[in-house]
Every structure is written in structure tokens, then in C-alpha cells.
Amino acid sequence: MKKLLLIGFAISMFVACQQKESRYTQQSPEIDIVKAQIANYNAMNYNVNALVDTCKVFFNTKDNPILKENLKAYHQGNDAHYSQRGFAKKDQDYEMVLTDDGHTWVNVWLDWQGTLKGNGKVIDMPVHLTYRFVDGKIVRIVGMWDQTEIVLGLQDIEAQNNLPEIEEQ
């Protein structure tokens, strides 16, 4: 009986000490891929090699995704409004999560800053991005941020450009 009890205890200790796969981490190859994507964005180098061909990108929407082949044009169109823009190098937070369904996601919280070309207004805003990975490749990107300040700034520039000139008397 004593031997059976010791064997049972040894088995329970062995099972308890087994390393389980981490469902959360702040260091992974996937996080390194996302960090490279952020660095490419800041350098205005829109390398999309880490994305699968069928990758869908949802920025501030759950409908109408941007497809991989249109992502560069999307960023270049937005860049036309700024004299400078990019994510801050400080206060970046990255995490990789393995969901209950076995999906791998990398979540990112960043601060973005841009200066509007038309009036020099500086816009600071927090941005949340999340990347889903399958076999080391990005298959989906979701980004959320409050665009209000940008929209109002662009509307202000448009209004200033459309003011009638006051004739000198």
C-alpha cells in the first residue's frame, strides 16, 4: 500500500511539473515579425512579404478589408497628408496570445504622431493593432484608433483652402 501511495505521489508530481505551452508571451518570432512591420511603416517601406496573399486588413472597420496588394497604396495615400508621421519608439507594448481555439495573435499598443502638411497641426494618438498568424505568416490585421482629430484637421485645411480671397480696397 505504501509503495502504491508513493508511486501515485511520484506520478502526480511528474504531471504537475510538466511544462505547459505558454498561452501568453512578450517574446516570440511572431512579435519580431510585427516589430519589423512597424519599423518598415516608420521608414515608409511597405514590405508585405510577411503577409499571406489572402491577408485581409481591417483598419477602423469590420467590413471592407484592405487586401495585401492594396496596402501600399492605402498607406501612400494617407502619407500624402503628413509632413512627418510614425509610431513612437517608446512605450510600445507587444504581446502574443494563443487563444482557446488555437489561434495565434500578436497585440500591439503604440503611440502614433503625425504632422499635417496643410497647417502643421501635430496629432498624437494611441493605436491598437492585432495580427493573426498561421504558420509564421500574417493572415489578418485589425487596427483601431480614433480618427476624429485627423478628420477635423483635414476639414480645417480644406476650409482654409476654399476661403474666398479678400480683395484689397
Side-chain angles (χ1 to χ4, degrees), residues 124-142:
D124 285 299
M125 66 182 166
V127 173
H128 173 66
L129 299 168
T130 187
Y131 299 76
R132 180 163 176 228
F133 281 81
V134 172
D135 298 327
K137 290 286 214 172
I138 300 169
V139 298
R140 181 181 174 106
I141 303 171
V142 178

Side-chain angles (χ1 to χ4, degrees), residues 15-23:
V15 171
C17 292
Q18 290 282 327
Q19 286 281 0
K20 293 184 180 180
E21 184 176 6
S22 177
R23 293 189 55 186

Side-chain angles (χ1 to χ4, degrees), residues 16 34 39-40 50 56 62 69 72 93 121 131 139 147 167:
V34 171
N40 284 339
K56 292 183 180 169
K62 64 179 185 172
E69 63 265 17
K72 182 177 179 178
D93 202 6
K121 180 177 176 63
Y131 299 76
V139 298
Q147 301 181 88
E167 293 182 29

Side-chain angles (χ1 to χ4, degrees), residues 32-84:
D32 292 339
I33 291 169
V34 171
K35 286 181 177 181
Q37 292 294 117
I38 298 299
N40 284 339
Y41 172 83
N42 282 350
M44 295 185 180
N45 169 13
Y46 304 112
N47 182 331
V48 292
N49 291 339
L51 284 65
V52 298
D53 290 339
T54 57
C55 182
K56 292 183 180 169
V57 180
F58 298 87
F59 288 149
N60 286 318
T61 184
K62 64 179 185 172
D63 304 317
N64 306 318
I66 302 166
L67 302 178
K68 176 182 175 177
E69 63 265 17
N70 300 326
L71 194 56
K72 182 177 179 178
Y74 168 84
H75 285 304
Q76 288 175 330
N78 285 333
D79 287 346
H81 299 295
Y82 305 104
S83 58
Q84 70 82 28

Side-chain angles (χ1 to χ4, degrees), residues 95-159:
E95 71 174 9
M96 188 184 86
V97 177
L98 182 62
T99 67
D100 289 345
D101 297 332
H103 297 162
T104 301
W105 289 89
V106 172
N107 296 306
V108 185
W109 293 269
L110 305 160
D111 290 321
W112 180 92
Q113 184 179 83
T115 303
L116 292 174
K117 276 185 184 175
N119 61 9
K121 180 177 176 63
V122 176
I123 298 170
D124 285 299
M125 66 182 166
V127 173
H128 173 66
L129 299 168
T130 187
Y131 299 76
R132 180 163 176 228
F133 281 81
V134 172
D135 298 327
K137 290 286 214 172
I138 300 169
V139 298
R140 181 181 174 106
I141 303 171
V142 178
M144 297 291 172
W145 57 89
D146 182 357
Q147 301 181 88
T148 305
E149 212 175 338
I150 295 170
V151 171
L152 292 174
L154 292 173
Q155 287 175 344
D156 184 49
I157 293 167
E158 183 70 23

